[in-house]
Structures are given as C-alpha cells and as structure tokens.
Amino acid sequence: MSNIDSKIPEGPLAEKWSRHKAAIRVVSPANKRKLDIIVVGTGLAGASAAASLGELGYNVKAFCYQDSPRRAHSIAAQGGINAAKNYQNDNDSVYRLFYDTIKGGDYRSREANVHRLAEVSPNIIDQCVAQGVPFAREYGGNLANRSFGGVLVSRTFYARGQTGQQLLLGAYSALNRQIDAGSVEIFARHEMLDVVVIDGKARGIVARDLTNGEVKRFGAHAVVLATGGYGNVFFLSTNAMGCNGSAAWQAYKRGAYFSNPCYVQIHPTCIPVHGSQQSKLTLMSESLRNDGRVWVPKKKEDAERLRKGEISANDIKDEDRDFYLERRYPSYGNLVPRDVASRAAKERCDAGFGVNAEGKAVFLDFKYAIERLGRDTIEKRYGNLFQMYEKITDVNPYENPMQIYPAIHYAMGGTWVDYNLMTSVPGLYSIGEANFSDHGANRLGASALMQGLADGYFILPYTIGDYLAGEIMVPKIDTNAPEFEEAEKNVTGRLEKLYNIKGDQPVDYFHKKLGHIMWEYVGMSRNEEGLKKAIEEIAELKKEFWSNVRIPGEMNNINPELEKAGRLADFIDIGDLMARDALNRNESCGGHFREESVTEDGEAKRNDEIGCYASAWEFQGEDKEPVMHREELVFENVKLTQRSYK
Amino acid sequence: MADKILKKIYVKVWRQNNPSDKGRFETYEVENISQGSSFLEMIDILNDQLIREGKDPIAFDHDCREGICGMCSMYINGHAHGPDSEITTCQLHMRKFEDGETITVEPWRAGAFPVIKDLIVDRVAFDKIQQAGGYVSVNTGGVPDGNTIPIAQVDAEEAMDAAACIGCGACVATCKNSSAMLFVAAKVSQFAKLPQGKVEAKRRAKAMVAKMDELGFGGCTNTGACELACPKNISISHIARLNREYLKAKFSD
Ligand SMILES: Cc1cc2nc3c(=O)[nH]c(=O)nc-3n(C[C@H](O)[C@H](O)[C@H](O)COP(=O)(O)OP(=O)(O)OC[C@H]3O[C@@H](n4cnc5c(N)ncnc54)[C@H](O)[C@@H]3O)c2cc1C
Ligand code: FES
C-alpha cells in the first residue's frame, strides 16, 4: 500500500506548476531576514540555491568538503545542458523535452516533476547568459546548439567541452556576490556528518572542520541537501574522488526515505581500467559515438592475440571485425542509448572478445570517419578529447582505435522528495543529483545540469518559502538543545570508533572489495541469486571493515583517511540497500537489468504490471531490515511503450 | 600496449604536520610502478605503503582527477604540476619519469597560500578575490531571453579562453613575486569581452586588484612564467587587458 504523499498539485499537467506557485505561501522580506537556511553542497544545485536564497534575503550558510565551492563535482561535466528553447526551429517544445525525458527514463519518473523541469529549462539558459557564461555562439552571435543521444532535436547548449565548469563558475559567481553582500556565509573544507531533527523537523546539522577535526553544530529553520550522487559505491567510477553518499545516508538514518537506490547509470565510453593500481575512471564524451564505430574481433583467436599484445587493431581486416552495435541495432547503430551500448560491450567481453590485456575493452574506431571526412574535420570536432586520450593512454587515436569500456557515471536514485523537493522529514530538502526526482530509471545526456540548476534557481526558492512561512515565529535555533548534543555525540562517537579500530588494512582495501561485489552482482546485469549473494558478502565486508580498518594520522588534524573511512562506512550500507532494491524490482528498466526479465532475443523487458512505482525505503535501525514503501507512478499524459532501438 | 614498470623510484617529499611546524623533506622508496599509472596513483601506492608501515600518509589535495576541478597542486621537480605541458598534477603520468629517479615534490609556495599540512595549502585568498567583484550583478529571474544579447563568435571564444581558468594557483606558485595577476586577469578579461560584463567593468577591475594586493600577492613584472605553468594555457595577453581595464577605471575616478 502506498502511504506516500507526493503532493502533486491538481489540474492539467501543463498548469500544475503555475497553479501551485499561485497557491503556495510567500514569506515577507522582513521575515526572511529572521530565517536561517543551511545548504549542504555547492555544485550546480547547491550554489544556485544558496545564491538565490541569499538574494531573496534569507540568511544562508553553505557547506562543501573541497577547499572552494568552485570545485564541486559539477565542474567536470563536459557535454552540455538541455533546454526547450526551440532556437533551431526544429519543433522542439516543453512537451517534447518532457516526453523525451519520461521515455528516456523508461517510464519510471513522475510526470508532474518532469514537466516542470522542462518548463523552467529555458529560464536557466537566460540566467546563465546574464551571468556571463560564455556559451558557444553562431557567427551571427546567437547561441549555438548540438544534439545528444536519444533525441531527435538539437537542444543542447554548451561551452566547448567544459559546460559544467562554466555553469558552475556562473553559479559560483552569483554565490560570491552574496558572500560579499553578507547574506551567505561559506564553510569550505567542512563535511556534514549528521542532520539534527527536533520535534520532527530538520533544525540543523553537525559538521566536521576538515582542517582541524573540530566537530561543530549549526542550526537553521530548514536544511537543504545538494550533495551529489553515490556512484563511488563502486570504487571505480567517473565521479570525483570525494563524491559520496554520506549526507543522504545520514538523512536516511534520521527518517528521510531513500528512493530507487538500484538505479545507477553506466556510461559506455570510458577509458578502460589498466592493471590494479587505478583510482579513478575517465569519461570520454558521448559525442564520440557520432563518428566512431564500435567493434571487437569476430574471431576469438584474434582477441586472444590482441590481449597478449601479439597483434594490434590495425592488423585485423574489416571482414574480421564485428561491429556488434550496428549488427544488433541496425536502425540506431552506434548511437543506441547508454544502457544498451554498455550492456552490449559487456556481453562481447564476457564472451571472450575483449581487446585489452584485462579482456575488458572494445574498440571505438575513427578510421572510417577520417577516411570519409578527413583528419582535419575529426580534429576540429574532437581534438581536445583525442589529446586527453593520448595523454592518459599514450596511444594516438588518429592512428589506432580508442579502447573503451563502460563505467559507473551517475546515480538516478537518491533521497525521496515530494513535488516541493522536500524529503519525508519536514524542513529537510534535497536537490540535484542527491534526490531521485526526475530521471526515472535512466538519465538522458545533458539533463543532470539542467535538473541541478532548475532545482536551485527556479524551484526550491519558491517551494521552501511555503514551508518557511509557517516557521516565522520560530526563534533562532538553539544549538544547545539536547538533540544537537545527541547528534554531536553520535558523530564523535562514530569517528572515535573508526579511529580506534587500529586494524591491519587501509580504507581503500575495503573500498576496492566493495567495488568488486557491486560491479559483479549489482552492476550492469543482475539476477536474484547474485543479488542475494551480494547482500551476504556486503554484510561480511561490513564486519571485516568495522574490525580491521586502519586509520593513521590524528583525529584533530587534516586526515583524509578518516574522511574516507566515514564515507566508506556509509557506502557499505548504501550498497546493501541497492542490492535489496534491485532484488525487489523483478523487471528490467533503464539502467536496471534483471536477467530474469528479458525478451526472447535477450533485450531488457520492462514489466509495467509490477514495476510502475518508485521505491521509498525507510530506515528501521542499525542492522535491521529496512521497510519499502511504494509511490505508485500514474501516467495520465503519455502512453507507456517498450523502447526499441532495433 | 604493455606499459613499462619502474622498478624503483625515490620520492623526496615535503612533510609538514601543521601550519606552525617548520617542515622538512623526507625521501621514500617506491617499487614496481607501471608507467601507465598516473602520478597521483603512484602517491596513492606510496601512502598505502606508509599506512601499512604505521606511518602518517602524505596529505595532498585532489578530487576530480581529470584536470578540471583545480584541486591538485604539487610542485614536482621544480615545475608547478610537474614536467609536462598543459596538464594538472592529476593528469601527469609516470611515463615522464625514469627508473631510479629521485622525484622532488613540494607544496605551492607563496605567502598568500599558507601550508595546512604536507602538500595541502590554503587557497581561500583566491575565493576572496572573486568575492570582491568576479561576478555580474544579476539576481535570479527577471533576465532577458538569451538571444537578445548577440555576442560575436570571436568574442565568445576569447571570453571562453579566459574563463577556462581552473583556479589551481600554479601561476602564483611559479611566479617569483607570487603574483596573482594571471588569475585576476582571466576573470576580468572574460567579462571585458562580454556585453554583460561591461556595466560593472570599472568597479570590478579596481575591487579585484585591490583585494589581490591586500591579501599579500606580489606585483607582476612580466616574466611570463605563469603562462608557461598554466595547465589551461591562459595567455598573459589577458594581463595586458586587465591593465587596460584597470587604468581606464583609475583615470575615470
Ligand atoms: C565526468 C562527468 C561528466 C558529466 N557530464 C555531464 C553533462 O555533460 N551534462 C549533464 O547534464 N550532466 C553531466 N554529468 C552529470 C552531472 O555533472 C552531475 O550529475 C551534476 O553536476 C551533479 O550536481 P550536484 O549539484 O547535484 O552535485 P555535485 O556537483 O556533485 O556537488 C556536490 C556538492 O556537495 C558537497 N558535499 C557532498 N557531500 C558533502 C558533505 N557530507 N558535507 C559537505 N558537503 C558535501 C560537495 O563538496 C559539493 O559541493 C557528468 C558527470 C560526470 C561524472
Ligand atoms: S584533481 Fe581536479 S584538477 Fe587535478
């Protein structure tokens, strides 16, 4: 039974947001000055929210674990940001962006949220232009667009291959302006380690100053989490080293439901793992698939000789190459969506056709495009990516095909939020990648940046006012309250416990182990037996970690190993919940592929009879089985169809 | 292609437990490093070794490991970000080193960037300079349609060249005067190239330069070292533009 209230407004889809805005309460300027808001995270979502809330007159405190808000992981996004501007006159519209996002998400997201996202998307571009973001331009001076996977129109705005950087620097500049004006106070190198809930409402956080280990209390009338995704559960991913799920996990332990943890996105074009010393995977832009052809050898002997280094790709004749995407998906070919391309690569490598020493890579070949278009054209299009590839691998992609392999990239799951972006704890909000809201079971390219900025600039600043209008009589939050005391004890207790284990193995040893379990059983392809095994193995790993981790250094000094240990402790628990969620969802949809739910020719098979829900997991206590609530997804405006790329 | 293995290297690294500690070099041996590994992966391996020996691992800043967040910051063998061009520390690979080599690793050294621990320095001064004026004063909402402000492609591209700065601080670390001119110039120049930035151009140039001076960065004597060290290839021609903007602002006082 669904006991979940997602607070979707009444009325026709296209009018829900404007009707809702008209109906919700607004706080007067004089009262805004009396209200404190904490924003944890300064990526696109957090920086845009903190700046906008500061402009409105609230007192804002913003937190990030890096040394500067400008370094949040959003900085690394390359490709671009979508918006339904229809500048190209190719019949794009709010409805089309809405529809593409719902379909791309394999019909597992909320119609009302996605429509609102599409509605505000044009404002984002205007806002960023006004801030001085140097988007790419046409000769005539207008904004340029490019196309991205899975859609038929050209609606992606970009700033070279550094779109995330430029958008974040735009939001960072707006944030800086508010810091200068005194409405936002910034706490960099601070890590939030607990949420404080008083009488059922979020009233503050406990954070550790990473430079000296001091654990501090911060009170506020509302708390916003903008802490990004949990992809680093897998150890190796395209996420930055510090990306974590800890803030969302602490919120979960304080009563905020966690939604759809099993939905993670695997990106097909990453530079493969080399050896066992690797710490991080590098994404090669999706755009490369426009001109590169993906292949492996047809003959196993060739693959074996490639792995041993006896021959190289160019020794294999065209007729001995298996362009497996073109073979399996003649109509979309190399441009099938991310999840399909990733699974197909894994299938070939598992069957013994992988091309690098580890047997875990396929070729992405530009030879054909260079023959067709000339080297100059390819260099203009992808020069910087080719250079980056060569710096990392020492292989020149103009002469030899690139090697690529899928890697974890994005978390669609996250903290459950209602239409107002509020979690199941009143006064606690979650925005950006940290929440679960808009991408269903699969995210389209260039839509994460859109969602982060939509949440931060144009949605949260309205919806949070509705809640805060009821809080204007609440005085400054007293951080001496027993709940703060308890939260601080909880934090220091846990840190001391970790520090005092004094075992034999560094944190990464356990993190790599967790990564293996997750990749093996909760990765690209999942089945009941494997998932049950994962739950068991994670439980064992958890015991081992809590009895044998070794943390060097001092508690009251900068101590990266202690930080990592805390994050890993939470990743272990998140991994367990991911496996449970995946086990529960006995269908294949988007990034979640269950081997039990496939069509006759082995493609993913969605099952709307059982799968049309968003899970919302409720914490029941340490080492107790969590309870899953279901938010039923109702589709009134689109017809559910099976995706086909054949 | 199989990567060569470096059988043994020596890492001579700056150790300083806290801001008031005097600090010193220590040398560690690391064995069997694949040349395909990144420099930071080599440090990870060294740290793993130190932890297992019961020692304190080397503290260093890093996050994206893709050359874009600007967090990594090591001065390696006398070069900011090490002996390769147009890259950050995290993009440096062990191919650039020889078997048996001693590699010297230091933090950024500049008065305005005090050491916090080992190779980690405090770069808050950079944020403060940006807070002094590195923005266009627009609130969220109420802005015109993006295409009502046409911008010539060359201008947008030039603004982007400047905006590519990742704020790592290599320019300051390299400069014998510890000047932050290239950093400030990149922001001022980005906005100088765009109509959105023109309105506040004078205030911005003055405020950012004043803040830079106040925070103890040195003056620019045009040595050009910053440009060479910059992982994003930001040209010193932006400094010339900053100077013009600054003088314009001063003369109109
Ligand atoms: C390599 C790469 C390329 C991508 N390219 C694209 C693209 O082209 N288009 C697109 O739309 N999307 C892209 N994405 C996805 C997109 O970049 C992210 O989903 C998005 O930027 C997330 O933004 P965010 O604000 O939610 O979180 P983040 O940018 O991850 O910010 C998280 C913030 O939270 C802080 N934080 C986290 N935990 C804590 C804590 N406990 N205490 C204090 N602070 C904390 C961090 O310091 C940081 O400030 C890409 C992702 C990757 C990895
Ligand atoms: S770690 Fe981000 S630039 Fe090096």
Side-chain angles (χ1 to χ4, degrees):
Chain A
M1 237 331 274
S2 168
N3 54 354
I4 291 236
D5 183 4
S6 49
K7 306 223 170 75
I8 297 170
E10 296 295 318
L13 184 66
E15 287 172 30
K16 283 181 195 290
W17 178 229
S18 41
R19 284 195 193 193
H20 187 63
K21 277 192 293 184
I24 58 181
R25 290 172 294 177
V26 175
V27 182
S28 76
N31 282 327
K32 283 191 184 117
R33 280 198 291 277
K34 295 188 215 147
L35 293 167
D36 300 322
I37 303 175
I38 284 173
V39 179
V40 189
T42 60
L44 286 182
S48 59
S52 303
L53 293 167
E55 288 162 11
L56 287 170
Y58 296 107
N59 301 308
V60 181
K61 289 190 172 68
F63 295 77
C64 66
Y65 69 75
Q66 294 92 345
D67 69 334
S68 163
R70 68 180 289 156
R71 307 203 201 283
H73 174 58
S74 294
I75 203 93
Q78 304 169 350
I81 176 166
N82 290 329
K85 277 286 197 187
N86 193 32
Y87 280 161
Q88 305 307 321
N89 196 31
D90 52 5
N91 196 9
D92 195 12
S93 62
V94 166
Y95 184 82
R96 195 177 293 279
L97 175 54
F98 155 76
Y99 181 77
D100 288 345
T101 309
I102 288 275
K103 177 181 171 212
D106 222 357
Y107 306 95
R108 291 294 173 263
S109 43
R110 241 187 236 149
E111 277 192 340
N113 284 55
V114 176
H115 196 276
R116 175 177 63 186
L117 174 66
E119 260 175 275
V120 304
S121 67
N123 304 0
I124 297 172
I125 302 305
D126 302 340
Q127 190 63 38
C128 296
V129 168
Q131 290 167 345
V133 169
F135 282 121
R137 298 275 168 167
E138 306 291 357
Y139 284 120
N142 278 350
L143 290 155
N145 288 122
R146 59 164 61 137
S147 11
F148 241 70
V151 300
L152 303 169
V153 292
S154 192
R155 63 159 79 99
T156 306
F157 295 78
Y158 62 101
R160 292 201 189 136
Q162 288 128 277
T163 316
Q165 180 198 28
Q166 293 309 314
L167 296 176
L168 183 60
L169 292 181
Y172 165 74
S173 71
L175 183 68
N176 280 333
R177 178 167 161 253
Q178 293 311 304
I179 295 172
D180 196 36
S183 58
V184 177
E185 201 180 342
I186 181 82
F187 295 86
R189 291 202 201 266
H190 275 68
E191 182 164 12
M192 174 203 131
L193 295 176
D194 208 350
V195 189
V196 181
V197 180
I198 301 180
D199 296 333
K201 290 179 174 175
R203 291 299 190 204
I205 65 168
V206 172
R208 179 169 180 267
D209 181 340
L210 300 179
T211 61
N212 59 18
E214 196 188 333
V215 174
K216 306 178 192 168
R217 308 171 185 186
F218 298 91
H221 296 87
V223 176
V224 181
L225 302 183
T227 45
Y230 52 85
N232 274 345
V233 169
F234 290 84
F235 185 67
L236 287 178
S237 83
T238 64
N239 288 6
M241 303 299 286
C243 286
N244 67 87
S246 287
W249 197 251
Q250 302 320 320
Y252 168 74
K253 288 201 193 166
R254 294 286 179 189
Y257 297 167
F258 204 104
S259 190
N260 295 338
C262 81
Y263 293 158
V264 284
Q265 182 166 77
I266 294 175
H267 201 293
T269 53
C270 301
I271 299 180
V273 178
H274 69 86
S276 61
Q277 304 182 334
Q278 196 151 349
S279 59
K280 150 92 211 237
L281 296 173
T282 303
L283 177 79
M284 297 306 291
S285 170
E286 179 152 33
S287 59
L288 290 169
R289 282 199 281 144
N290 282 309
D291 286 307
R293 291 179 76 190
V294 178
W295 66 274
V296 293
K298 270 187 190 153
K299 298 188 207 145
K300 260 196 194 148
E301 311 88 82
D302 283 346
E304 270 156 28
R305 295 180 65 202
L306 280 169
R307 290 202 284 273
K308 289 191 196 132
E310 292 169 6
I311 53 169
S312 72
N314 292 334
D315 297 329
I316 299 174
K317 293 201 212 76
D318 273 11
E319 58 268 28
D320 291 330
R321 299 177 173 197
D322 175 15
F323 299 92
Y324 58 87
L325 287 177
E326 297 167 29
R327 168 169 62 76
R328 285 179 67 178
Y329 308 100
S331 64
Y332 275 69
N334 294 297
L335 289 173
V336 291
R338 291 177 178 176
D339 53 335
V340 178
S342 296
R343 276 195 295 277
K346 180 177 181 326
E347 188 277 329
R348 282 295 79 191
C349 291
D350 288 352
F353 294 94
V355 300
N356 68 351
E358 287 81 7
K360 294 216 161 92
V362 300
F363 289 126
L364 177 64
D365 203 336
F366 293 87
K367 179 179 102 163
Y368 307 93
I370 291 173
E371 282 165 9
R372 188 162 41 92
L373 303 164
R375 189 184 149 130
D376 283 357
T377 308
I378 294 303
E379 189 166 348
K380 259 207 199 100
R381 284 188 193 165
Y382 309 111
N384 58 341
L385 292 169
F386 278 35
Q387 186 212 4
M388 174 160 104
Y389 183 85
E390 190 171 352
K391 286 263 185 214
I392 295 177
T393 62
D394 211 21
V395 171
N396 175 347
Y398 295 101
E399 280 153 23
N400 295 286
M402 288 183 177
Q403 293 186 357
I404 53 162
Y405 200 65
I408 298 291
H409 180 59
Y410 182 86
M412 279 80 69
T415 307
W416 183 88
V417 289
D418 66 14
Y419 187 75
N420 295 315
L421 304 180
M422 185 146 88
T423 70
S424 49
V425 175
L428 181 65
Y429 290 78
S430 178
I431 60 178
E433 190 174 339
N435 74 25
F436 90 110
S437 68
D438 295 342
H439 307 292
N442 177 52
R443 175 177 69 76
L444 288 182
S447 283
L449 303 183
M450 169 173 72
Q451 183 224 335
L453 291 180
D455 289 359
Y457 284 134
F458 298 112
I459 300 172
L460 180 86
Y462 293 87
T463 58
I464 204 170
D466 188 38
Y467 172 79
L468 288 171
E471 301 292 310
I472 53 176
M473 302 307 284
V474 178
K476 267 223 167 320
I477 305 303
D478 176 13
T479 55
N480 292 314
E483 289 83 354
F484 274 94
E485 181 86 38
E486 186 267 332
E488 188 185 312
K489 276 215 182 103
N490 175 40
V491 166
T492 46
R494 184 167 112 134
L495 290 170
E496 277 162 12
K497 190 168 165 195
L498 282 167
Y499 185 74
N500 289 325
I501 294 169
K502 306 228 183 280
D504 297 325
Q505 298 289 347
V507 179
D508 280 355
Y509 166 86
F510 300 99
H511 201 165
K512 283 181 186 168
K513 272 192 155 180
L514 177 65
H516 277 295
I517 301 172
M518 297 306 291
W519 186 249
E520 203 53 45
Y521 303 117
V522 201
M524 256 187 282
S525 175
R526 303 153 173 188
N527 61 53
E528 182 178 338
E529 199 194 324
L531 290 165
K532 287 186 170 154
K533 207 160 162 190
I535 294 172
E536 272 170 37
E537 291 191 7
I538 292 169
E540 267 165 48
L541 181 69
K542 185 171 177 174
K543 272 195 220 128
E544 202 192 333
F545 170 77
W546 281 98
S547 58
N548 200 23
V549 70
R550 171 184 294 189
I551 296 164
E554 300 154 315
M555 291 275 286
N556 58 355
N557 197 345
I558 210 159
N559 190 339
E561 290 295 312
L562 184 60
E563 295 163 29
K564 272 162 46 178
R567 292 172 196 154
L568 179 60
D570 296 332
F571 278 140
I572 292 174
D573 289 344
I574 293 173
D576 171 77
L577 196 67
M578 287 169 71
R580 286 173 197 276
D581 194 46
L583 189 59
N584 244 290
R585 188 172 284 282
N586 193 3
E587 63 156 348
S588 297
C589 59
H592 171 66
F593 183 78
R594 277 290 295 262
E595 287 160 18
E596 296 91 336
S597 183
V598 291
T599 61
E600 271 163 24
D601 45 4
E603 299 296 330
K605 192 167 140 214
R606 214 180 59 230
N607 185 344
D608 295 327
E609 303 267 294
I610 58 164
C612 256
Y613 70 92
S615 65
W617 293 88
E618 185 181 2
F619 183 67
Q620 299 292 314
E622 210 60 66
D623 297 321
K624 292 213 179 91
E625 299 239 334
V627 168
M628 191 192 89
H629 305 280
R630 289 165 66 99
E631 177 186 339
E632 304 299 336
L633 297 172
V634 185
F635 293 90
E636 293 168 338
N637 298 277
V638 297
K639 208 170 131 263
L640 276 60
T641 54
Q642 286 285 347
R643 294 189 306 168
S644 169
Y645 300 94
K646 292 258 163 192
Chain B
M1 244 154 285
D3 286 301
K4 231 182 80 188
I5 301 289
L6 300 174
K7 289 213 186 64
K8 191 189 266 186
I9 48 171
Y10 302 87
V11 186
K12 182 179 165 197
V13 55
W14 183 256
R15 301 306 308 261
Q16 178 176 343
N17 194 40
N18 54 56
S20 51
D21 181 13
K22 265 182 69 186
R24 75 231 152 257
F25 279 107
E26 297 225 3
T27 302
Y28 305 99
E29 286 177 19
V30 193
E31 290 176 358
N32 297 323
I33 296 293
S34 160
Q35 284 201 318
S37 292
S38 73
F39 191 82
L40 294 186
E41 280 160 5
M42 183 276 290
I43 300 283
D44 290 340
I45 292 164
L46 169 55
N47 273 345
D48 188 86
Q49 190 177 308
L50 291 173
I51 296 168
R52 288 173 192 282
E53 289 166 6
K55 296 185 184 140
D56 194 19
I58 301 154
F60 63 99
D61 264 334
H62 64 111
D63 203 24
C64 74
R65 296 210 180 183
E66 287 195 5
I68 191 75
C69 75
M71 192 115 180
C72 61
S73 43
M74 293 185 191
Y75 207 76
I76 303 163
N77 284 351
H79 301 278
H81 295 307
D84 196 352
S85 57
E86 289 176 52
I87 54 154
T88 53
T89 304
C90 61
Q91 293 173 300
L92 179 66
H93 275 71
M94 294 309 292
R95 272 174 226 115
K96 293 279 158 190
F97 301 93
E98 306 282 323
D99 213 351
E101 188 174 341
T102 298
I103 306 172
T104 308
V105 191
E106 296 170 79
W108 284 174
R109 298 207 190 266
F113 290 165
V115 171
I116 299 178
K117 185 176 183 203
D118 298 339
L119 303 174
I120 297 183
V121 299
D122 184 352
R123 286 171 287 192
V124 147
F126 265 13
D127 286 322
K128 292 204 167 130
I129 294 175
Q130 295 296 341
Q131 287 155 18
Y135 45 77
V136 175
S137 296
V138 287
N139 281 350
T140 303
V143 298
D145 182 274
N147 265 350
T148 53
I149 315 173
I151 297 170
Q153 198 183 57
V154 284
D155 291 332
E157 291 296 312
E158 244 185 279
M160 181 61 219
D161 287 341
C165 169
I166 58 173
C168 63
C171 46
V172 175
T174 300
C175 175
K176 65 182 170 61
N177 310 320
S178 300
S179 169
M181 276 297 266
L182 192 62
F183 173 75
V184 175
K187 193 51 48 184
V188 168
S189 191
Q190 174 196 343
F191 287 137
K193 273 284 153 194
L194 299 172
Q196 302 93 304
K198 293 260 155 65
V199 184
E200 296 166 281
K202 288 179 189 159
R203 195 185 73 83
R204 176 178 310 114
K206 280 196 296 186
M208 290 181 79
V209 169
K211 190 49 109 184
M212 170 181 80
D213 292 342
E214 178 196 320
L215 293 169
F217 291 99
C220 171
T221 52
N222 286 312
T223 67
C226 52
E227 179 184 75
L228 292 177
C230 176
K232 298 294 146 181
N233 219 1
I234 304 222
S235 153
I236 47 170
S237 65
H238 296 295
I239 296 185
R241 184 171 295 122
L242 166 61
N243 285 331
R244 285 200 297 279
E245 293 287 313
Y246 184 74
L247 286 177
K248 261 197 279 178
K250 275 284 172 201
F251 280 128
S252 65
D253 267 354

